[in-house]
Amino acid sequence: MVMKMDVGYKNSDGSFSLRSAALIIKDNKLLVAKNDNYDCFYTLGGGVNLNEASTEAVIGECREETGYEVLRPIKMK
């Protein structure tokens, strides 16, 4: 079994974690998620694993969090 590792680091000044997120807009409404453990809303997404493209990461996170497949990802410029 291959262990997946998120891309990031920690040092004395803090930490950094590479994250990929989706902005899903339909009928002028933005899809956001809510976690009962936090008092905020957030866009779908999550950590990017080592050797994983950010597009692959966000498609997988959207599937995990919604149960739906992303059919046409569009990269923002």
Side-chain angles (χ1 to χ4, degrees):
M1 180 178 174
V2 176
M3 188 170 111
K4 293 186 177 182
M5 295 175 43
D6 284 353
V7 176
Y9 68 85
K10 293 181 184 179
N11 65 22
S12 61
D13 293 328
S15 64
F16 167 81
S17 178
L18 181 60
R19 189 173 184 281
S20 188
L23 295 177
I24 300 173
I25 302 169
K26 183 174 181 182
D27 297 330
N28 235 11
K29 296 177 184 170
L30 176 66
L31 177 65
V32 295
K34 173 98 173 74
N35 183 319
D36 291 335
N37 296 324
Y38 303 100
D39 189 28
C40 65
F41 292 90
Y42 57 91
T43 58
L44 303 179
V48 178
N49 292 316
L50 193 59
N51 297 319
E52 179 182 37
S54 59
T55 304
E56 292 174 26
V58 76
I59 288 171
E61 290 293 336
C62 288
R63 183 177 45 251
E64 280 180 29
E65 295 180 28
T66 67
Y68 292 102
E69 291 292 327
V70 175
L71 300 177
R72 294 179 312 188
I74 300 169
K75 291 183 180 181
M76 297 185 70
K77 297 179 183 181

Coordinates of all heavy atoms in Angstrom, one line a residue:
M1 N 0.8 -1.2 0.0 CA 0.0 0.0 0.0 C 0.9 1.2 0.0 O 1.8 1.4 0.8 CB -0.9 0.0 1.2 CG -1.8 1.1 1.3 SD -2.8 0.9 2.8 CE -3.6 2.5 2.8
V2 N 0.6 2.2 -0.9 CA 1.4 3.4 -1.0 C 0.7 4.5 -0.1 O -0.5 4.7 -0.2 CB 1.4 3.9 -2.5 CG1 2.2 5.2 -2.6 CG2 2.1 2.8 -3.3
M3 N 1.5 5.1 0.7 CA 1.0 6.1 1.6 C 1.0 7.5 0.8 O 2.0 7.8 0.2 CB 1.9 6.3 2.8 CG 1.3 7.2 3.9 SD 2.3 7.1 5.4 CE 3.0 8.7 5.4
K4 N -0.1 8.1 0.9 CA -0.3 9.4 0.2 C 0.2 10.5 1.2 O -0.2 10.5 2.3 CB -1.7 9.7 -0.3 CG -2.1 8.7 -1.4 CD -3.4 9.1 -1.9 CE -3.8 8.2 -3.1 NZ -5.1 8.5 -3.6
M5 N 1.0 11.5 0.7 CA 1.4 12.6 1.5 C 1.0 13.9 0.9 O 1.2 14.1 -0.3 CB 3.0 12.5 1.6 CG 3.5 11.3 2.3 SD 5.3 11.2 2.3 CE 5.8 12.8 2.7
D6 N 0.4 14.7 1.8 CA 0.1 16.1 1.3 C 1.3 16.9 1.1 O 2.3 16.7 1.8 CB -0.8 16.8 2.3 CG -2.3 16.3 2.3 OD1 -2.6 15.5 1.4 OD2 -3.0 16.7 3.2
V7 N 1.3 17.8 0.2 CA 2.4 18.7 -0.1 C 2.3 19.9 0.9 O 1.3 20.5 1.1 CB 2.3 19.3 -1.5 CG1 3.4 20.3 -1.7 CG2 2.4 18.2 -2.5
G8 N 3.4 20.1 1.7 CA 3.4 21.2 2.6 C 4.7 21.1 3.5 O 5.5 20.2 3.3
Y9 N 4.8 22.0 4.4 CA 5.9 22.1 5.3 C 5.6 22.8 6.6 O 4.6 23.6 6.6 CB 7.2 22.6 4.7 CG 7.1 24.1 4.4 CD1 7.4 25.1 5.3 CD2 6.7 24.6 3.1 CE1 7.3 26.4 5.1 CE2 6.6 25.9 2.8 CZ 6.9 26.8 3.8 OH 6.8 28.2 3.6
K10 N 6.4 22.6 7.6 CA 6.3 23.4 8.9 C 7.6 23.9 9.2 O 8.6 23.2 9.0 CB 5.7 22.5 10.0 CG 4.3 22.0 9.8 CD 3.9 21.2 11.0 CE 2.5 20.6 10.7 NZ 2.0 19.8 11.8
N11 N 7.7 25.1 9.8 CA 8.9 25.6 10.3 C 8.6 26.5 11.5 O 7.4 26.6 12.0 CB 9.7 26.4 9.3 CG 9.0 27.6 8.8 OD1 8.2 28.2 9.4 ND2 9.4 28.1 7.6
S12 N 9.5 27.2 12.1 CA 9.3 28.0 13.3 C 8.4 29.1 13.1 O 7.8 29.7 14.0 CB 10.6 28.5 13.9 OG 11.3 29.3 12.9
D13 N 8.2 29.6 11.8 CA 7.3 30.7 11.5 C 5.8 30.3 11.3 O 5.0 31.1 11.2 CB 7.8 31.5 10.3 CG 9.1 32.2 10.5 OD1 9.3 32.6 11.7 OD2 9.9 32.3 9.6
G14 N 5.6 29.0 11.1 CA 4.3 28.5 10.9 C 4.3 27.3 9.9 O 5.3 26.5 9.9
S15 N 3.2 27.1 9.2 CA 3.1 26.0 8.3 C 2.5 26.4 7.0 O 1.8 27.4 6.9 CB 2.4 24.8 8.9 OG 1.0 25.2 9.2
F16 N 2.7 25.6 6.0 CA 2.1 25.8 4.7 C 1.5 24.4 4.2 O 2.2 23.4 4.3 CB 3.1 26.3 3.7 CG 2.6 26.3 2.3 CD1 1.8 27.2 1.8 CD2 3.0 25.2 1.4 CE1 1.3 27.2 0.4 CE2 2.6 25.2 0.1 CZ 1.7 26.1 -0.4
S17 N 0.4 24.4 3.7 CA -0.2 23.2 3.1 C -0.8 23.6 1.7 O -1.7 24.5 1.7 CB -1.3 22.6 4.0 OG -1.9 21.5 3.4
L18 N -0.4 22.9 0.7 CA -0.9 23.2 -0.7 C -2.3 22.6 -0.8 O -2.6 21.4 -0.4 CB 0.0 22.5 -1.7 CG -0.5 22.8 -3.2 CD1 -0.5 24.3 -3.5 CD2 0.5 22.0 -4.1
R19 N -3.3 23.4 -1.2 CA -4.7 23.1 -1.2 C -5.2 23.5 -2.6 O -4.8 24.5 -3.1 CB -5.4 23.8 -0.1 CG -6.8 23.4 0.1 CD -7.4 24.1 1.3 NE -8.7 23.7 1.6 CZ -9.8 24.0 1.0 NH1 -9.7 24.9 0.0 NH2 -11.0 23.6 1.3
S20 N -6.1 22.6 -3.1 CA -6.8 22.9 -4.3 C -8.3 23.1 -4.0 O -8.8 22.3 -3.3 CB -6.6 21.8 -5.3 OG -7.0 22.1 -6.6
A21 N -8.9 24.1 -4.6 CA -10.3 24.4 -4.3 C -11.1 24.6 -5.5 O -10.6 25.1 -6.5 CB -10.4 25.6 -3.3
A22 N -12.4 24.4 -5.5 CA -13.3 24.6 -6.6 C -14.3 25.7 -6.3 O -14.7 25.9 -5.2 CB -14.1 23.3 -6.8
L23 N -14.5 26.5 -7.3 CA -15.5 27.5 -7.3 C -16.6 27.0 -8.2 O -16.5 27.1 -9.4 CB -15.0 28.9 -7.7 CG -14.0 29.5 -6.8 CD1 -13.5 30.8 -7.4 CD2 -14.5 29.8 -5.4
I24 N -17.7 26.5 -7.6 CA -18.8 26.0 -8.4 C -20.0 27.0 -8.4 O -20.5 27.2 -7.3 CB -19.2 24.6 -7.9 CG1 -18.0 23.7 -7.9 CG2 -20.4 24.1 -8.7 CD1 -18.3 22.3 -7.3
I25 N -20.3 27.5 -9.5 CA -21.3 28.6 -9.6 C -22.4 28.2 -10.6 O -22.1 27.7 -11.7 CB -20.7 29.9 -10.1 CG1 -19.6 30.4 -9.1 CG2 -21.7 31.0 -10.3 CD1 -18.7 31.5 -9.6
K26 N -23.6 28.2 -10.2 CA -24.7 28.0 -11.1 C -25.8 28.9 -10.7 O -26.1 29.2 -9.6 CB -25.2 26.5 -10.8 CG -26.3 26.1 -11.8 CD -26.7 24.7 -11.7 CE -27.8 24.4 -12.7 NZ -28.3 23.0 -12.6
D27 N -26.4 29.5 -11.7 CA -27.5 30.5 -11.6 C -27.1 31.6 -10.6 O -27.9 32.0 -9.7 CB -28.8 29.8 -11.1 CG -29.3 28.8 -12.1 OD1 -29.1 29.0 -13.3 OD2 -30.0 27.8 -11.6
N28 N -25.9 32.0 -10.8 CA -25.3 33.1 -10.0 C -25.2 32.8 -8.5 O -25.2 33.7 -7.6 CB -26.1 34.4 -10.2 CG -25.3 35.6 -10.6 OD1 -24.1 35.4 -10.9 ND2 -25.9 36.8 -10.6
K29 N -25.2 31.5 -8.1 CA -25.0 31.1 -6.7 C -23.8 30.2 -6.6 O -23.5 29.4 -7.4 CB -26.3 30.3 -6.3 CG -27.5 31.1 -6.3 CD -28.7 30.2 -6.0 CE -30.0 31.1 -6.1 NZ -31.2 30.2 -6.0
L30 N -23.0 30.5 -5.5 CA -21.8 29.8 -5.2 C -22.1 28.6 -4.3 O -22.7 28.8 -3.2 CB -20.8 30.7 -4.6 CG -19.5 30.1 -4.1 CD1 -18.7 29.7 -5.3 CD2 -18.7 31.2 -3.3
L31 N -21.6 27.4 -4.7 CA -21.8 26.2 -3.8 C -20.7 26.3 -2.7 O -19.5 26.4 -3.0 CB -21.6 25.0 -4.6 CG -21.7 23.6 -3.8 CD1 -23.1 23.5 -3.2 CD2 -21.3 22.5 -4.7
V32 N -21.1 26.2 -1.5 CA -20.2 26.2 -0.3 C -20.6 25.0 0.6 O -21.8 24.5 0.5 CB -20.2 27.5 0.5 CG1 -19.6 28.6 -0.4 CG2 -21.6 27.9 1.0
A33 N -19.7 24.6 1.4 CA -20.0 23.5 2.4 C -19.9 24.1 3.8 O -19.3 25.1 4.0 CB -19.0 22.4 2.2
K34 N -20.5 23.3 4.7 CA -20.5 23.7 6.1 C -20.1 22.5 6.9 O -20.6 21.4 6.7 CB -21.8 24.2 6.6 CG -22.0 24.5 8.1 CD -21.8 26.0 8.4 CE -22.1 26.3 9.8 NZ -21.1 25.9 10.8
N35 N -19.2 22.6 7.9 CA -18.8 21.6 8.8 C -19.3 21.9 10.2 O -19.1 23.0 10.6 CB -17.3 21.4 8.8 CG -16.8 20.3 9.6 OD1 -17.3 20.1 10.7 ND2 -15.8 19.6 9.2
D36 N -20.0 21.0 10.8 CA -20.6 21.3 12.1 C -19.5 21.6 13.2 O -19.8 22.2 14.2 CB -21.5 20.2 12.6 CG -22.7 20.0 11.8 OD1 -23.2 21.0 11.2 OD2 -23.3 18.9 11.7
N37 N -18.3 21.3 12.9 CA -17.2 21.5 13.9 C -16.6 22.9 13.8 O -15.9 23.4 14.7 CB -16.1 20.5 13.7 CG -16.5 19.1 14.0 OD1 -17.4 18.9 14.9 ND2 -16.0 18.2 13.3
Y38 N -17.0 23.7 12.8 CA -16.4 25.0 12.6 C -17.6 26.0 12.2 O -18.5 25.6 11.6 CB -15.4 25.0 11.4 CG -14.3 24.1 11.6 CD1 -14.3 22.8 11.0 CD2 -13.2 24.4 12.4 CE1 -13.3 21.9 11.2 CE2 -12.2 23.5 12.6 CZ -12.2 22.3 12.0 OH -11.2 21.4 12.2
D39 N -17.4 27.2 12.7 CA -18.5 28.2 12.5 C -18.2 29.0 11.2 O -17.9 30.2 11.3 CB -18.5 29.2 13.7 CG -19.7 30.1 13.6 OD1 -20.7 29.7 13.0 OD2 -19.7 31.2 14.2
C40 N -18.1 28.3 10.1 CA -17.9 29.0 8.8 C -18.3 28.1 7.6 O -18.6 27.0 7.8 CB -16.4 29.4 8.7 SG -15.3 27.9 8.5
F41 N -18.4 28.7 6.5 CA -18.6 28.0 5.2 C -17.3 28.0 4.5 O -16.5 28.9 4.6 CB -19.7 28.7 4.4 CG -21.1 28.6 5.1 CD1 -21.5 29.6 6.0 CD2 -21.9 27.6 4.8 CE1 -22.7 29.5 6.6 CE2 -23.2 27.5 5.4 CZ -23.6 28.5 6.3
Y42 N -17.2 27.1 3.5 CA -15.9 27.0 2.8 C -16.2 26.4 1.4 O -17.2 25.7 1.2 CB -14.9 26.2 3.5 CG -15.3 24.8 3.8 CD1 -15.1 23.7 3.0 CD2 -16.0 24.5 5.0 CE1 -15.5 22.4 3.3 CE2 -16.4 23.2 5.3 CZ -16.2 22.2 4.5 OH -16.6 20.9 4.7
T43 N -15.3 26.7 0.5 CA -15.4 26.1 -0.9 C -15.0 24.7 -0.8 O -14.2 24.3 0.0 CB -14.6 26.9 -1.9 OG1 -13.3 26.9 -1.5 CG2 -15.1 28.3 -2.1
L44 N -15.4 23.9 -1.8 CA -15.0 22.5 -1.8 C -13.6 22.4 -2.2 O -13.1 23.1 -3.0 CB -15.9 21.7 -2.8 CG -17.4 21.8 -2.6 CD1 -18.1 21.0 -3.7 CD2 -17.8 21.2 -1.3
G45 N -12.9 21.4 -1.7 CA -11.5 21.2 -2.0 C -10.7 20.5 -0.9 O -11.3 20.0 0.1
G46 N -9.4 20.4 -1.0 CA -8.6 19.8 0.0 C -7.2 19.8 -0.4 O -6.7 20.4 -1.4
G47 N -6.4 19.0 0.4 CA -5.0 19.0 0.2 C -4.6 18.3 -1.1 O -5.3 17.4 -1.6
V48 N -3.4 18.7 -1.6 CA -2.9 18.1 -2.8 C -1.8 17.1 -2.4 O -0.9 17.5 -1.6 CB -2.3 19.2 -3.8 CG1 -1.7 18.5 -5.0 CG2 -3.4 20.1 -4.2
N49 N -1.8 15.9 -2.9 CA -0.8 14.9 -2.5 C 0.4 15.1 -3.4 O 0.4 15.6 -4.5 CB -1.4 13.5 -2.7 CG -2.4 13.1 -1.7 OD1 -2.3 13.4 -0.6 ND2 -3.5 12.5 -2.2
L50 N 1.5 14.6 -2.9 CA 2.8 14.6 -3.6 C 2.6 13.9 -4.9 O 2.0 12.8 -5.0 CB 3.8 13.9 -2.7 CG 5.3 14.1 -3.2 CD1 5.7 15.5 -3.1 CD2 6.2 13.3 -2.2
N51 N 3.1 14.5 -6.0 CA 3.0 13.9 -7.4 C 1.5 13.9 -7.9 O 1.2 13.2 -8.8 CB 3.6 12.6 -7.5 CG 5.1 12.6 -7.2 OD1 5.8 13.5 -7.7 ND2 5.6 11.6 -6.5
E52 N 0.6 14.6 -7.3 CA -0.8 14.7 -7.8 C -1.0 16.1 -8.4 O -0.6 17.1 -7.8 CB -1.7 14.5 -6.6 CG -3.2 14.6 -7.0 CD -4.1 14.4 -5.8 OE1 -3.8 14.9 -4.7 OE2 -5.2 13.8 -6.0
A53 N -1.6 16.1 -9.6 CA -2.0 17.4 -10.2 C -3.1 18.1 -9.3 O -4.0 17.4 -8.8 CB -2.4 17.2 -11.6
S54 N -3.1 19.4 -9.3 CA -4.1 20.1 -8.5 C -5.5 19.9 -9.1 O -6.5 19.8 -8.3 CB -3.8 21.6 -8.4 OG -3.7 22.2 -9.7
T55 N -5.6 19.7 -10.4 CA -6.9 19.4 -11.0 C -7.4 18.0 -10.5 O -8.6 17.9 -10.2 CB -6.8 19.4 -12.6 OG1 -6.2 20.7 -13.0 CG2 -8.1 19.2 -13.2
E56 N -6.5 17.0 -10.5 CA -6.9 15.7 -10.0 C -7.4 15.8 -8.6 O -8.4 15.2 -8.2 CB -5.8 14.7 -10.1 CG -5.3 14.4 -11.5 CD -4.1 13.5 -11.5 OE1 -3.8 12.8 -10.5 OE2 -3.3 13.5 -12.5
A57 N -6.7 16.6 -7.8 CA -7.0 16.7 -6.3 C -8.4 17.3 -6.1 O -9.2 16.8 -5.4 CB -5.9 17.5 -5.6
V58 N -8.7 18.4 -6.8 CA -10.0 19.1 -6.6 C -11.1 18.2 -7.2 O -12.2 18.2 -6.6 CB -9.9 20.5 -7.2 CG1 -10.1 20.5 -8.7 CG2 -11.0 21.3 -6.5
I59 N -10.9 17.5 -8.3 CA -12.0 16.6 -8.8 C -12.3 15.5 -7.8 O -13.4 15.2 -7.5 CB -11.6 16.0 -10.2 CG1 -11.6 17.1 -11.2 CG2 -12.5 14.9 -10.5 CD1 -11.0 16.7 -12.6
G60 N -11.2 15.0 -7.2 CA -11.4 13.9 -6.2 C -12.1 14.5 -4.9 O -13.0 13.8 -4.4
E61 N -11.7 15.6 -4.5 CA -12.4 16.2 -3.3 C -13.8 16.6 -3.6 O -14.7 16.4 -2.7 CB -11.6 17.5 -2.9 CG -10.2 17.2 -2.3 CD -10.2 16.5 -1.0 OE1 -11.3 16.6 -0.3 OE2 -9.2 15.9 -0.7
C62 N -14.2 17.1 -4.7 CA -15.6 17.4 -5.1 C -16.4 16.1 -5.0 O -17.5 16.1 -4.5 CB -15.7 18.0 -6.4 SG -15.1 19.7 -6.4
R63 N -15.8 15.0 -5.6 CA -16.5 13.7 -5.6 C -16.7 13.2 -4.1 O -17.8 12.8 -3.7 CB -15.7 12.7 -6.4 CG -16.4 11.3 -6.5 CD -15.7 10.3 -7.4 NE -14.2 10.3 -7.1 CZ -13.3 10.8 -8.0 NH1 -13.6 11.3 -9.1 NH2 -12.0 10.7 -7.6
E64 N -15.7 13.3 -3.3 CA -15.8 12.9 -1.9 C -16.8 13.7 -1.1 O -17.6 13.2 -0.3 CB -14.4 13.1 -1.2 CG -13.4 12.0 -1.4 CD -12.1 12.3 -0.7 OE1 -12.2 13.0 0.4 OE2 -11.1 11.9 -1.2
E65 N -16.8 15.0 -1.3 CA -17.7 15.9 -0.5 C -19.1 16.0 -1.0 O -20.0 16.4 -0.2 CB -17.0 17.3 -0.4 CG -15.7 17.2 0.3 CD -15.0 18.6 0.4 OE1 -15.7 19.6 0.4 OE2 -13.8 18.6 0.5
T66 N -19.4 15.7 -2.3 CA -20.7 15.8 -2.8 C -21.3 14.6 -3.3 O -22.5 14.4 -3.4 CB -20.8 16.9 -4.0 OG1 -20.1 16.3 -5.1 CG2 -20.2 18.2 -3.6
G67 N -20.5 13.6 -3.7 CA -21.0 12.4 -4.4 C -21.2 12.5 -5.9 O -21.6 11.6 -6.5
Y68 N -20.9 13.7 -6.4 CA -21.1 14.0 -7.8 C -19.7 14.0 -8.5 O -18.7 14.3 -8.0 CB -21.8 15.3 -8.1 CG -23.2 15.4 -7.6 CD1 -23.6 16.0 -6.4 CD2 -24.2 14.8 -8.4 CE1 -24.9 16.0 -6.0 CE2 -25.5 14.9 -8.0 CZ -25.9 15.4 -6.8 OH -27.2 15.5 -6.4
E69 N -19.8 13.7 -9.8 CA -18.6 13.7 -10.7 C -18.4 15.1 -11.3 O -19.4 15.7 -11.7 CB -18.6 12.6 -11.8 CG -18.5 11.2 -11.3 CD -17.2 10.9 -10.7 OE1 -16.1 11.4 -11.3 OE2 -17.1 10.1 -9.8
V70 N -17.2 15.6 -11.4 CA -17.0 16.8 -12.1 C -16.8 16.5 -13.6 O -15.9 15.7 -13.9 CB -15.7 17.5 -11.6 CG1 -15.4 18.7 -12.4 CG2 -15.9 17.9 -10.1
L71 N -17.6 17.0 -14.4 CA -17.6 16.7 -15.9 C -16.7 17.6 -16.7 O -16.1 17.1 -17.6 CB -19.0 16.7 -16.4 CG -20.0 15.7 -15.8 CD1 -21.4 15.9 -16.4 CD2 -19.5 14.3 -15.9
R72 N -16.7 18.8 -16.4 CA -15.9 19.8 -17.2 C -15.2 20.8 -16.3 O -15.7 21.9 -16.1 CB -16.9 20.6 -18.1 CG -17.5 19.7 -19.2 CD -18.4 20.6 -20.0 NE -19.3 21.4 -19.1 CZ -20.3 22.1 -19.5 NH1 -20.6 22.2 -20.8 NH2 -21.0 22.8 -18.7
P73 N -14.1 20.4 -15.8 CA -13.3 21.4 -15.0 C -12.8 22.5 -15.9 O -12.3 22.3 -17.0 CB -12.2 20.6 -14.4 CG -12.0 19.4 -15.3 CD -13.4 19.1 -15.9
I74 N -12.8 23.7 -15.4 CA -12.3 24.9 -16.1 C -11.3 25.5 -15.2 O -11.6 25.9 -14.1 CB -13.5 25.9 -16.4 CG1 -14.5 25.2 -17.3 CG2 -12.9 27.1 -17.1 CD1 -15.8 26.0 -17.4
K75 N -10.1 25.7 -15.8 CA -9.0 26.4 -15.0 C -9.2 27.9 -15.1 O -9.5 28.4 -16.2 CB -7.7 26.0 -15.5 CG -7.3 24.6 -15.2 CD -5.9 24.3 -15.7 CE -5.5 22.8 -15.4 NZ -4.2 22.5 -15.8
M76 N -9.1 28.6 -14.0 CA -9.2 30.0 -14.0 C -7.8 30.6 -14.4 O -6.8 30.0 -14.1 CB -9.6 30.5 -12.7 CG -11.0 30.1 -12.3 SD -11.6 30.8 -10.8 CE -11.8 32.4 -11.3
K77 N -7.8 31.7 -15.1 CA -6.6 32.3 -15.6 C -6.3 33.5 -14.7 O -7.0 34.1 -14.1 CB -6.7 32.7 -17.0 CG -6.9 31.6 -17.9 CD -7.1 32.0 -19.4 CE -7.3 30.8 -20.2 NZ -7.5 31.1 -21.6

